[in-house]
């Protein structure tokens, strides 16, 4: 049984992968915010204030999701290539 040669990606795929690897924007560092902020126990280590009867821990989980979405959207908007379609 003969081994087949590995499939080589088309040039467009290689170009896209290499351009992504070279993206060294400082905006990408903001993506650490939604990772690190939920790891700080002082933010959620209390029962009050309550929002609609829910303790701080529960409504902060939703706030962390919104923080992640907002941060990811901001980084995407600031780093996307203009005019490439």
């Amino acid at each position: 049984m003969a081994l087949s040669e590995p499939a080589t990606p088309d040039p467009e795929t290689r170009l896209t992968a290499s351009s992504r690897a070279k993206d060294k924007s400082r905006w990408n560092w903001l993506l650490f915010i939604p990772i690190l902020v939920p790891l700080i126990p002082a933010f959620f280590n209390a029962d009050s204030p309550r929002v609609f009867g829910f303790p701080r821990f529960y409504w902060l989980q939703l706030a962390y999701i919104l923080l992640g979405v907002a941060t990811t959207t901001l980084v995407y908007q600031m780093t996307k290539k203009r005019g490439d379609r």
Side-chain angles (χ1 to χ4, degrees), residues 64-76:
Y64 292 151
I65 292 169
L66 297 175
L67 174 68
V69 169
T71 305
T72 304
T73 302
L74 174 68
V75 171
Y76 173 73

Side-chain angles (χ1 to χ4, degrees), residues 1-54:
M1 182 158 93
L3 296 173
S4 62
E5 292 183 26
T8 57
D10 58 20
E12 185 176 314
T13 304
R14 267 187 295 197
L15 178 64
T16 304
S18 67
S19 67
R20 270 188 266 145
K22 292 180 183 176
D23 183 19
K24 296 183 180 180
S25 173
R26 292 180 184 235
W27 287 102
N28 292 335
W29 285 102
L30 288 178
L31 294 173
F32 281 110
I33 292 173
I35 295 170
L36 296 176
V37 169
L39 296 176
I40 301 171
F43 288 147
F44 55 85
N45 194 15
D47 188 45
S48 62
R50 289 179 170 257
V51 176
F52 299 115
F54 291 102

